[in-house]
Amino acid sequence: MNSDKNDKNANRPKFYLAPMVRYSKLAFRQLVRLYDVDVCYTPMIYAKNFIESEKCRNSELSICEGDSPLIVQFATDDPFVLAEAAEMVYGCSTGVDVNCGCPKHDVRSKGFGSALLNKPELLADMIRQTRARISDTEFSVSLKIRVNADIERTVDLCRKAESAGVTHLTVHGRTPSQHAEPIDIQAIRIVKESVSVPIIANGGITTREEALFLAEQTGVDGIMAANGLLDNPALFAGYEYTPSHCVENFVSFR
């Protein structure tokens, strides 16, 4: 890494690859790590299936040397299932995350994703049970949430999670019913000011400049991108469009 790149990355927030079904797989994680992404999430994995099925484990979680830091995201509403799944990935990842934000009907109908936003006590218990199983404080236990129209409910959830020992929180600045609307910057800022654990902001990021501006406006510790990285895997490195060498690198990883 040259001095120019060091200067560009000095004092910036951490950059994250979001958990995206079908897309946040190993090859794509390897690619974005070349372009200033600091931490990658796996796609969402159903925790119970992961525990019970070797086929699921082999198909849903592929890693290699250098694929770190890596956070495995699980979907579950059972504290003990989450704790067991976390124990299974403890040796090959740096943390686990609970999907509390997915608004899709098939996920919500199982009681997962954004359906959990109405159950802050359950989420707190999930954190406590997982932390009781894995005492290593270097192993993160986190939540990825969406905001509620009543921001005080979101703050209450985040405070309960903090008291339970959550490592960090990712806040998508839209409600579960919103899709492409502008994110609620004020809501993210309020959450950041209400808890002391690191906060990662998510939603609508398409350029490095947008990421840095959002961090400045909210005071968050990290910025996560999803679709923006699919359109341009090099966005966090400051490229306006996907450079040709990015495509070449991706082909080499497949």
Side-chain angles (χ1 to χ4, degrees), residues 11-12 26 30 46 54 68 87 96 101 139 147 150 152 173 176 179 195 200 216-217 246 252:
N11 301 317
R12 67 160 172 80
L26 176 59
Q30 289 177 287
Y46 287 105
E54 182 179 3
S68 181
E87 194 169 42
V96 292
F139 187 81
V147 296
D150 178 0
E152 288 304 318
H179 300 286
V195 295
I200 303 158
E216 180 183 350
Q217 292 294 300
C246 183
S252 73

Side-chain angles (χ1 to χ4, degrees), residues 38-253:
D38 301 296
V39 183
C40 290
Y41 279 55
T42 68
M44 181 192 75
I45 302 170
Y46 287 105
K48 192 171 187 294
N49 294 347
F50 187 82
I51 293 169
E52 296 177 349
S53 169
E54 182 179 3
K55 180 179 180 181
C56 174
R57 293 193 293 275
N58 291 337
S59 65
E60 295 296 328
L61 184 60
S62 298
I63 59 173
C64 70
E65 185 176 355
D67 187 25
S68 181
L70 177 66
I71 296 176
V72 181
Q73 189 186 68
F74 286 115
T76 184
D77 62 352
D78 188 317
F80 298 100
V81 167
L82 177 64
E84 185 173 350
E87 194 169 42
M88 293 179 73
V89 301
Y90 172 65
C92 63
S93 66
T94 54
V96 292
D97 184 81
V98 182
N99 185 321
C100 312
C102 182
K104 294 182 179 178
H105 175 73
D106 61 330
V107 176
R108 288 177 55 87
S109 65
K110 296 179 175 69
F112 308 153
S114 58
L116 290 167
L117 295 176
N118 296 319
K119 301 178 179 180
E121 290 81 7
L122 174 60
L123 289 173
D125 193 33
M126 292 168 74
I127 296 163
R128 280 192 293 267
Q129 294 297 337
T130 304
R131 185 52 70 204
R133 188 78 65 94
I134 302 173
S135 59
D136 181 0
T137 56
E138 294 299 311
F139 187 81
S140 67
V141 182
S142 60
L143 306 177
K144 186 175 186 296
I145 69 172
R146 283 188 174 228
V147 296
N148 194 287
D150 178 0
I151 192 59
E152 288 304 318
R153 292 178 60 188
T154 304
V155 169
D156 177 66
L157 184 158
C158 293
R159 285 176 172 165
K160 284 182 168 67
E162 180 177 33
S163 296
V166 78
T167 307
H168 65 263
L169 295 157
T170 301
V171 181
H172 185 130
R174 298 186 179 98
T175 68
S177 64
Q178 293 178 315
H179 300 286
E181 294 89 336
I183 64 168
D184 190 336
I185 293 177
Q186 182 179 6
I188 297 173
R189 185 189 307 116
I190 289 172
V191 171
K192 173 59 183 173
E193 293 171 350
S194 300
V195 295
S196 57
V197 296
I199 300 296
I200 303 158
N202 176 220
I205 296 299
T206 61
T207 68
R208 181 186 175 96
E209 290 70 25
E210 289 176 356
L212 296 177
F213 180 74
L214 180 58
E216 180 183 350
Q217 292 294 300
T218 58
V220 295
D221 307 275
I223 301 292
M224 176 180 284
N227 291 332
L229 281 170
L230 292 182
D231 291 336
N232 177 10
L235 80 85
F236 279 134
Y239 290 91
E240 186 176 356
Y241 303 103
T242 305
S244 59
H245 51 76
C246 183
V247 178
E248 293 163 2
N249 284 324
F250 186 54
V251 171
S252 73
F253 288 135

